Amino acid sequence: MIHRTNILWINNWNIFNKRHIFSYLSLLGICLIILIFPRLAHASSTPVSQTSAVLQSIHHDLSNNVDLQQLLSWQKTVDALSHNAHQCITERSGNLNQIDKSLGILGSAVAGEPKNLSTLRLKLQGEQKNLSGELATCKVLAIASADLAQKIQQKQEALHAAMLLQRDHNLWQQALALQSVPISTWVGEREFWLMQNGQSIFAQKSLQISFAIGVVIFVLSLFLRAPLAKKIHRQHPLPIAKNNFYHYVPLLAGISTIAAISAFTNTLSPLIMLLLVTWGGYAFTAMFLALALRPSGVVSQHFDWPPQTLRSTLRRLQSIATLAVFGLAWLVMAPSDPLSLTHQDFFYSVYHLTLLGAVFWLIWGVGAHKPFHTYPLLRALTLLALMVTATFTILGYRNLSNYLFFGLLMSLFAFGIGLFFSWGLTDFWSQPPQPSSHWQRFLRHRLNLKDDQPLPWIAWLSTISHTFVWLGIAAFILYAWGLTHAGFTLLWKYFITGFAVGSFHVQPFRWAIATLLLILLFNINTVVQQYLTNHSRIIGHMESGARHSVLSIVRYTGFIIAILIALSTAGVALHNFAIIAGALSVGIGFGLQNIVNNFVSGLILLLERPIRVGDWIQVGTTQGYVQKMSIRYTLILTFDRTEVFVPNSELIAGQVTNWMYTNSVLRLMIPFNIAHDADISLVKELLVAEGQNHPDVLQDDPRGIPPTALLLDVSENALQFYLRVYLDDCNKSFNVQTDLRASVVESLLRHNVVLAHQQQDVHIMSKQILPMEGKLAQPTGDR
């Protein structure tokens, strides 16, 4: 049996070799197909068409009158079905791709192939047909789910608009509706607020005792506030900030005592709770408002308001905070109130109008001062929005009024909190180095920094902290204006997965990661440069110019690598830069050619290093020391301390004199004009002697020639001698010339050698004087 099977396979193999159809690799591919085919068949057996009935049912019921809760439930169901449909499309597409690859390996049917291969091809083709049908079904379901989700969204928007524009009783009608309240309801209302355990709350001894103890604690705290604060902080007198803090401590202590005793004795009625919460909230918020609006606080530093304006603003903010705390406490106890919600509309409307009036009063007063007076349009729009909200409250548009009331006030509150935190962060990050600051001392110890050295990354940390603060404020404002959890989920989805702008796909998450990565790489590049600069063992054996070139190359290389990594992380295809470079070639050829020329010249200077930092060079009429070399320009510090920026292209294309290229040895030729009757040998000896006596002049050094006196010219006025000396450091040129000139002149004068000066002899020949017109003046004196 085994022998016959081997013969069959040998015959088939001969046939395949003769017809050149299959190869050994093809047989291996077929074996792999046989192994993975059961998994494909199992994956394709999953049902994908069970959601059609659910979608049809929702579409049918959507035409009826439905409430908002039902729409939200349908939206969740449709979102889940849409997710399943897209997942189905992904899975079927992947399975089809695998089957297409398998069929590609099998190829078309040929005569004489094994039967199992034909069977496998037929199974794969059938599975391909089934998967194609399921894929089409999934696409239809995805389209139907998206269409139904859009209709549900439109229905929700219509319901929201109808609810917002629904008009109830106006303020006058709400007040008149209170007359129809039965007397029993008013009796229950009185018992709810004023009665506790069958008797009046004011007649209960436990409550009276708790109030008495609270008043005693308040008085004691009031007298002991200053001594205890001085003893705790060990300073006299207290700063304004701490004094404002301890100013409200007695009130908080008394209120806390009353609340604790009332809760322990079970006398904490709704009215007492409302009063205690309002007082406590007033004291708590007033304490922090006083800290913020103190003369040395954050607000006064940025606004520079006078103390009277700060006090008036503090009073207005305290009134708003008290009203806000009162409203929150009232809302907490409202469900237990016997008065119906319809009859409570009047009180809610009055509360809205009171709080809106307080906010209007605050913005009206604050807007007259800087920096708000520079934005009159914003101030006018805010005041108009407050008046419109109050008008809707009076007219009875309760839903719209509540929506505008909550959104507007929460937006103003969030904006104020954002400004406060932003100013605090600015002061925190921009404060000068202080040895008493714990976090600065900790960072300096970890980074091995001195007290006078600035902390690194402060600008980046400040930017990141401000960004997070304002992102949180923006999220809170969106929530205040009704953005639901589904809306935040959608925004987060767009932030992660991105969105399309034309043919370009933008992913904010990847761009944010790329920005953070760019910041990190830039700072790492800076740290590497600082490490190479401070720890000179790595490049310490190089000269200063070479070290500067290495640091410059490291800096620009790090910048380029950081930008390329950040762009790649952001999803920008780097091969598109070839297209961008081609598009910019015309601009480079016309408008940017000087910039590109300086850029390339800077690279050549850094690599070839014909000049280095610290060299004494001359470019045209500019002469000085190279102080800095960048990729675009070279900074030269002249002898009169003027900084000259020379484009790198001039250093490459023009003539540059570098006095220190190979070495710093400099030859000086100092001229001296001597009278004709001087002793030439004596003058030469004196010049050579003074040159040999100077400590900075090279004597027996192979880099130069010993001091030499040369007679190089004889003019009609003088003998021109030159003292030739060599210096080991060209930076000493002017000092050495001054010393040698002074010493040589003194030596010549001591030896009675006359320095020549330009002179001109005039000879008067009387016989050749021509007579002048008229009479000559007769001499008056003796000859």
Side-chain angles (χ1 to χ4, degrees):
M1 182 66 183
I2 298 176
H3 179 69
R4 291 183 178 180
T5 305
N6 292 334
I7 293 175
L8 177 61
W9 276 104
I10 291 173
N11 293 333
N12 291 334
W13 177 252
N14 292 331
I15 294 173
F16 296 152
N17 281 334
K18 291 180 181 179
R19 298 184 181 180
H20 301 285
I21 297 176
F22 296 104
S23 64
Y24 180 69
L25 295 176
S26 300
L27 291 176
L28 290 178
I30 293 170
C31 294
L32 292 176
I33 293 171
I34 295 173
L35 291 175
I36 66 174
F37 177 74
R39 183 177 63 85
L40 296 178
H42 175 73
S44 62
S45 62
T46 306
V48 294
S49 59
Q50 297 178 357
T51 60
S52 177
V54 178
L55 294 176
Q56 291 179 359
S57 176
I58 295 176
H59 187 272
H60 180 268
D61 296 337
L62 192 61
S63 59
N64 301 327
N65 294 328
V66 293
D67 57 359
L68 189 59
Q69 296 296 329
Q70 185 62 47
L71 288 176
L72 293 176
S73 177
W74 286 347
Q75 185 179 13
K76 292 181 180 179
T77 303
V78 172
D79 290 341
L81 295 177
S82 178
H83 175 72
N84 294 336
H86 286 89
Q87 188 176 4
C88 171
I89 293 174
T90 303
E91 292 178 356
R92 274 30 177 202
S93 299
N95 293 338
L96 275 176
N97 290 333
Q98 292 182 359
I99 292 177
D100 291 338
K101 292 180 181 178
S102 301
L103 290 175
I105 295 175
L106 290 176
S108 58
V110 296
E113 66 179 4
K115 185 177 180 181
N116 56 352
L117 297 182
S118 302
T119 304
L120 179 59
R121 184 182 293 105
L122 292 176
K123 288 182 179 180
L124 288 176
Q125 291 175 352
E127 187 64 29
Q128 184 184 30
K129 182 178 180 181
N130 294 333
L131 285 175
S132 299
E134 292 180 1
L135 179 61
T137 303
C138 293
K139 290 181 179 180
V140 172
L141 291 178
I143 295 174
S145 300
D147 182 65
L148 188 57
Q150 184 178 3
K151 291 182 179 179
I152 293 175
Q153 182 67 26
Q154 293 176 357
K155 191 76 172 181
Q156 287 180 350
E157 294 176 356
L159 283 179
H160 278 298
M163 290 174 61
L164 288 177
L165 297 178
Q166 182 181 358
R167 183 176 181 180
D168 298 327
H169 299 294
N170 55 31
L171 185 63
W172 177 251
Q173 293 172 345
Q174 294 172 4
L176 294 178
L178 294 176
Q179 298 178 358
S180 62
V181 178
I183 299 178
S184 59
T185 303
W186 289 115
V187 173
E189 187 75 11
R190 185 187 63 184
E191 293 179 353
F192 175 76
W193 292 103
L194 301 177
M195 304 296 290
Q196 180 76 13
N197 298 326
Q199 59 179 343
S200 175
I201 57 175
F202 301 106
Q204 295 181 1
K205 293 184 178 181
S206 300
L207 184 62
Q208 296 174 0
I209 293 174
S210 64
F211 267 89
I213 295 175
V215 172
V216 171
I217 295 296
F218 170 75
V219 174
L220 289 177
S221 302
L222 194 63
F223 283 103
L224 298 177
R225 167 184 69 180
L228 288 177
K230 294 176 183 178
K231 187 175 182 180
I232 292 173
H233 297 281
R234 302 182 184 275
Q235 53 185 342
H236 181 80
L238 286 177
I240 298 177
K242 294 179 180 178
N243 191 19
N244 289 331
F245 177 81
Y246 286 104
H247 180 75
Y248 296 96
V249 169
L251 182 59
L252 286 175
I255 293 173
S256 301
T257 303
I258 296 174
I261 298 176
S262 300
F264 181 76
T265 58
N266 197 20
T267 57
L268 196 61
S269 63
L271 179 61
I272 300 300
M273 184 183 298
L274 183 63
L275 293 176
L276 292 178
V277 170
T278 303
W279 285 348
Y282 161 77
F284 189 77
T285 55
M287 180 171 59
F288 285 98
L289 288 174
L291 289 174
L293 296 178
R294 67 185 186 274
S296 60
V298 175
V299 177
S300 60
Q301 292 178 4
H302 289 269
F303 285 177
D304 194 18
W305 287 351
Q308 183 178 0
T309 304
L310 289 174
R311 286 193 296 269
S312 63
T313 305
L314 176 62
R315 289 193 297 268
R316 296 176 186 183
L317 286 173
Q318 287 176 346
S319 62
I320 294 174
T322 304
L323 287 173
V325 173
F326 173 80
L328 291 176
W330 186 21
L331 287 176
V332 171
M333 291 177 290
S336 302
D337 197 335
L339 198 64
S340 63
L341 295 178
T342 305
H343 294 145
Q344 290 181 9
D345 288 346
F346 174 75
F347 300 103
Y348 280 113
S349 299
V350 172
Y351 173 75
H352 282 188
L353 293 176
T354 305
L355 189 55
L356 287 173
V359 176
F360 188 93
W361 181 39
L362 172 67
I363 296 178
W364 181 270
V366 170
H369 303 278
K370 63 178 183 180
F372 299 108
H373 73 280
T374 57
Y375 304 98
L377 181 60
L378 181 61
R379 177 193 177 198
L381 290 177
T382 305
L383 295 176
L384 180 62
L386 293 172
M387 290 189 294
V388 169
T389 304
T391 303
F392 285 138
T393 302
I394 295 174
L395 294 179
Y397 291 94
R398 179 179 176 183
N399 294 330
L400 183 58
S401 174
N402 291 337
Y403 176 74
L404 294 176
F405 177 81
F406 184 78
L408 187 60
L409 294 188
M410 289 298 101
S411 298
L412 293 175
F413 173 75
F415 183 72
I417 294 296
L419 285 179
F420 182 78
F421 276 100
S422 179
W423 294 332
L425 288 173
T426 301
D427 295 340
F428 177 78
W429 293 116
S430 61
Q431 63 182 345
Q434 300 177 358
S436 60
S437 180
H438 297 287
W439 70 273
Q440 289 189 3
R441 187 165 59 251
F442 174 77
L443 288 179
R444 293 182 185 280
H445 176 70
R446 291 294 182 182
L447 298 175
N448 297 323
L449 296 176
K450 298 180 180 179
D451 293 338
D452 56 345
Q453 290 180 328
L455 289 172
W457 302 357
I458 289 297
W460 296 115
L461 292 175
S462 176
T463 303
I464 292 173
S465 59
H466 280 83
T467 302
F468 276 107
V469 166
W470 286 109
L471 284 178
I473 296 300
F476 183 82
I477 292 176
L478 291 176
Y479 173 77
W481 286 102
L483 187 64
T484 60
H485 177 72
F488 280 107
T489 303
L490 184 61
L491 289 179
W492 180 254
K493 178 183 177 181
Y494 283 136
F495 178 75
I496 296 296
T497 60
F499 51 89
V501 179
S503 60
F504 187 71
H505 187 72
V506 180
Q507 288 183 274
F509 177 74
R510 297 189 64 174
W511 280 96
I513 296 298
T515 303
L516 295 177
L517 185 61
L518 184 65
I519 294 172
L520 179 62
L521 293 176
F522 276 176
N523 285 276
I524 290 176
N525 189 20
T526 303
V527 170
V528 169
Q529 295 177 58
Q530 293 178 354
Y531 180 81
L532 293 176
T533 303
N534 299 329
H535 301 77
S536 58
R537 289 178 297 177
I538 298 176
I539 57 176
H541 61 281
M542 302 180 182
E543 56 182 345
S544 61
R547 288 197 297 269
H548 181 271
S549 299
V550 170
L551 292 175
S552 299
I553 293 174
V554 169
R555 179 172 66 252
Y556 292 117
T557 304
F559 284 162
I560 294 174
I561 293 176
I563 292 173
L564 292 178
I565 293 176
L567 291 176
S568 178
T569 305
V572 178
L574 297 181
H575 61 80
N576 292 332
F577 280 101
I579 302 175
I580 299 175
L584 292 177
S585 60
V586 179
I588 293 175
F590 290 96
L592 304 178
Q593 56 181 350
N594 292 331
I595 297 177
V596 175
N597 188 12
N598 291 325
F599 180 82
V600 176
S601 300
L603 293 178
I604 295 174
L605 292 175
L606 290 176
L607 293 177
E608 294 186 354
R609 300 176 55 242
I611 60 174
R612 296 149 299 188
V613 174
D615 285 358
W616 176 17
I617 67 172
Q618 181 175 357
V619 183
T621 59
T622 302
Q623 186 176 0
Y625 294 96
V626 178
Q627 189 175 17
K628 179 182 178 183
M629 294 180 63
S630 69
I631 203 70
R632 189 180 61 85
Y633 63 86
T634 297
L635 179 61
I636 298 178
L637 182 65
T638 61
F639 298 116
D640 55 358
R641 311 302 296 176
T642 303
E643 295 178 334
V644 180
F645 295 87
V646 179
N648 290 330
S649 58
E650 295 186 8
L651 299 176
I652 295 296
Q655 181 177 353
V656 179
T657 302
N658 190 346
W659 301 91
M660 304 173 62
Y661 180 63
T662 56
N663 53 65
S664 60
V665 175
L666 177 66
R667 188 193 70 171
L668 293 180
M669 297 287 289
I670 305 175
F672 294 96
N673 294 329
I674 309 298
H676 287 126
D677 57 352
D679 188 352
I680 297 177
S681 299
L682 177 62
V683 173
K684 293 176 63 178
E685 291 177 1
L686 294 176
L687 293 179
V688 171
E690 295 300 329
Q692 293 175 347
N693 292 332
H694 200 282
D696 293 327
V697 175
L698 295 179
Q699 305 298 332
D700 297 328
D701 195 306
R703 294 178 297 173
I705 301 175
T708 307
L710 303 174
L711 178 60
L712 298 182
D713 193 9
V714 178
S715 64
E716 66 274 8
N717 297 321
L719 302 175
Q720 292 186 354
F721 287 87
Y722 284 86
L723 175 58
R724 182 179 64 187
V725 296
Y726 285 83
L727 307 181
D728 60 347
D729 188 359
C730 62
N731 294 318
K732 303 176 182 179
S733 169
F734 292 101
N735 294 330
V736 172
Q737 290 185 59
T738 301
D739 296 340
L740 289 178
R741 283 192 175 96
S743 62
V744 167
V745 170
E746 292 177 357
S747 178
L748 293 174
L749 293 178
R750 284 197 305 267
H751 292 82
N752 297 321
V753 178
V754 180
L755 296 175
H757 54 82
Q758 186 175 5
Q759 63 182 5
Q760 187 174 10
D761 297 332
V762 179
H763 301 277
I764 301 176
M765 301 175 66
S766 57
K767 294 182 179 181
Q768 297 181 2
I769 297 177
L770 299 177
M772 298 179 60
E773 294 182 0
K775 296 181 179 180
L776 295 175
Q778 299 295 328
T780 58
D782 297 335
R783 287 183 179 272

